[in-house]
Amino acid sequence: MTADTSPRKLRYAMVGGGRDAFIGAVHRKAIALDGQAELVAGALSSSAEKARASGRDLLLADDRNHGDWQSLLDDELKRPAHERIDFVSIVTPNHVHFPVAQAFVEAGFHVVCDKPLVHTREQADALVAAVARKGTVFAVTYNYTGYPMVREARELVRSGRLGEIRKVVVEYNQGWLSTEIESEGNKQAAWRSDPAMSGAAGAVGDIGSHAENLVATVTGLEIESLCADLSSLVPGRALDDDGSLLLRFQGGARGVLIASQVNTGLENDLRLRVSGTLGTLVWRQEQPSELLHLPHDGPRRILTRGSPWLGESAKRASRLPSGHPEGFIEAFANVYGGVVADIRARLAGLAADPLEADYPRVEDGARGVRFIERTVASAKSEAKWTAW
Ligand SMILES: NC(=O)c1ccc[n+]([C@@H]2O[C@H](COP(=O)([O-])OP(=O)(O)OC[C@H]3O[C@@H](n4cnc5c(N)ncnc54)[C@H](O)[C@@H]3O)[C@@H](O)[C@H]2O)c1
């Protein structure tokens, strides 16, 4: 590889994220926040017509505004290096992740893919192997890891401030699927409740995967075994909309994970509590700038984003002084910041600074797929239930 010594804006393409889509627009705003990369190509929707209309909305050049992702890839491979994209962002429903990710990695492109990574463990293993073989950057947008106070929590655990971790409780509660809106034309609900598109799980795959990743990121604990109770509380729904799990971690810590999309009135209530021998941390996504530190033998502290006494990782993830709210898009931008740093280092022929290239990898995505698979397997087995 020839070293690229003159920094420039990176170029990216997007697959999915067309008109009326949810998360693609968030990805684009997050990428735009730091001005490090620009959208130059896309295959933005499942229908060619809507894909092109969506690309026109975003002012894509006609010859880079494609009706399907295969044409996008073919076209990129024909382009000279100074025009070609540096990475592709995949923001389609889950069933499309694997073929697109696999094809772009095999063609040597860096990839950012939303969660859950793919449908099966075999697909996840194949992707991990392809990324290792091709040496590409591969990020999975577990965007909650980008919050400064999540990074501070990770640092406090790593530095031993909590002592030995003994108990973790993570909850991801939403209420938007409390009624059968998938039958009333809600597109996001429709594919999420269809096993062919969503995968083997509903709520556990959609938001439980975020909860699993948050626990793994902050604590570094590895799940040893789990016991899951999954239900479809809205009658007729094919996939779970409510899940409660007990977790046993290697080393003895215990955990509880809740993922539910039928908690009426709740919005995006992701919350984490980690207790060690020396104290507890509490973080909530809906108040992301605060991290509660409750030491066993001292006064309680509310740590706030943007404060000078935070660790390096949290400081770097913050753009504004304390008291000026930052949120979801900034956290997402921090994941992309890590990806950009890694790609830039590779273009310059250097090893990336790990503090900068801080983003969830393909292996994290693969562990998420395993989590979903084991959760569904546990829920199917009634072995742990004692009749009343
Ligand atoms: N990280 C997060 O916080 C977060 C939040 C929401 C969704 N997601 C994930 O993002 C993905 C998309 O979710 P969403 O809610 O934005 O869905 P959505 O239904 O709003 O949007 C999906 C988009 O993909 C397009 N699409 C479908 N098939 C395609 C294909 N073959 N080629 C090109 N485009 C195609 C659709 O036309 C649509 O534009 C899912 O994997 C979901 O799990 C992540």
Side-chain angles (χ1 to χ4, degrees):
M1 183 173 64
T2 332
D4 178 349
T5 48
S6 52
R8 57 170 173 82
K9 272 201 184 205
L10 300 184
R11 295 176 290 271
Y12 78 99
M14 183 165 271
V15 178
R19 280 182 183 176
D20 310 323
F22 168 38
I23 210 67
V26 175
H27 281 247
R28 291 194 294 272
K29 285 170 189 145
I31 296 168
L33 198 61
D34 294 320
Q36 294 293 308
E38 62 183 333
L39 181 71
V40 297
L44 297 166
S45 195
S46 54
S47 92
E49 195 187 332
K50 195 164 179 184
R52 291 211 182 83
S54 305
R56 283 195 294 277
D57 291 348
L58 298 171
L59 308 178
L60 285 184
D62 280 348
D63 63 338
R64 300 191 85 167
N65 183 11
H66 300 278
D68 60 81
W69 66 266
Q70 289 92 343
S71 317
L72 164 68
L73 177 56
D74 290 347
D75 182 53
E76 287 303 320
L77 288 170
K78 285 186 207 133
R79 288 187 180 268
H82 69 276
E83 285 182 8
R84 203 176 297 154
I85 56 164
D86 295 288
F87 67 94
V88 64
S89 289
I90 304 169
V91 288
T92 62
N94 307 342
H95 67 297
V96 185
H97 293 180
F98 180 66
V100 183
Q102 182 81 344
F104 275 83
V105 169
E106 289 295 351
F109 290 101
H110 304 306
V111 172
V112 177
C113 183
D114 221 310
K115 46 47 59 181
L117 180 62
V118 290
H119 275 187
T120 66
R121 202 190 316 176
E122 289 71 29
Q123 292 172 339
D125 291 346
L127 259 188
V128 170
V131 170
R133 187 160 30 78
K134 301 302 283 192
T136 52
V137 168
F138 196 113
V140 181
T141 37
Y142 288 118
N143 45 300
Y144 300 107
T145 64
Y147 278 108
M149 301 317 285
V150 167
R151 292 187 175 179
E152 182 69 8
R154 180 182 65 183
E155 195 160 327
L156 289 171
V157 172
R158 279 185 189 165
S159 68
R161 292 290 294 275
L162 259 58
E164 192 188 329
I165 305 303
R166 294 200 290 213
K167 181 88 181 184
V168 183
V169 179
V170 65
E171 291 182 50
Y172 200 153
N173 302 304
Q174 299 178 333
W176 71 292
L177 291 177
S178 292
T179 59
E180 210 192 335
I181 55 172
E182 58 268 39
S183 320
E184 295 162 10
N186 184 305
K187 262 182 30 164
Q188 280 78 21
W191 72 254
R192 278 176 172 82
S193 49
D194 179 348
M197 290 191 262
S198 183
V204 156
D206 198 34
I207 56 175
S209 56
H210 275 301
E212 180 278 328
N213 183 265
L214 187 64
V215 169
T217 301
V218 170
T219 69
L221 292 173
E222 290 182 36
I223 297 175
E224 189 179 73
S225 57
L226 56 79
C227 176
D229 182 27
L230 300 187
S231 317
S232 308
L233 294 178
V234 170
R237 191 165 271 161
L239 291 171
D240 58 283
D241 50 24
D242 181 81
S244 306
L245 283 74
L246 298 177
L247 307 173
R248 289 182 173 174
F249 296 101
Q250 288 176 19
R254 294 292 191 260
V256 178
L257 186 153
I258 292 174
S260 180
Q261 294 178 308
V262 292
N263 279 285
T264 42
L266 298 188
E267 293 175 343
N268 203 52
D269 186 18
L270 170 62
R271 50 176 79 198
L272 174 69
R273 197 169 76 232
V274 181
S275 297
T277 47
L278 302 179
T280 289
L281 291 175
V282 182
W283 180 79
R284 283 192 60 191
Q285 199 275 156
E286 290 180 349
Q287 285 164 1
S289 292
E290 290 185 0
L291 176 66
L292 223 61
H293 178 209
L294 319 173
H296 185 53
D297 56 359
R300 296 176 163 200
R301 311 190 298 156
I302 303 174
L303 304 169
T304 52
R305 184 200 55 72
S307 309
W309 40 79
L310 298 181
E312 192 53 32
S313 183
K315 273 199 242 172
R316 287 186 192 213
S318 196
R319 290 169 183 76
L320 294 170
S322 55
H324 299 285
E326 289 184 0
F328 192 74
I329 292 182
E330 284 87 348
F332 233 109
N334 290 335
V335 173
Y336 271 104
V339 172
V340 166
D342 202 352
I343 295 176
R344 283 207 185 291
R346 288 167 196 234
L347 287 172
L350 302 169
D353 172 352
L355 259 176
E356 294 287 336
D358 187 353
Y359 62 91
R361 315 279 164 138
V362 69
E363 291 81 4
D364 297 289
R367 196 190 54 248
V369 174
R370 182 178 173 80
F371 164 76
I372 294 166
E373 193 193 87
R374 301 319 299 152
T375 299
V376 171
S378 165
K380 281 186 182 149
S381 141
E382 291 286 302
K384 277 277 177 187
W385 291 97
T386 305
W388 185 240

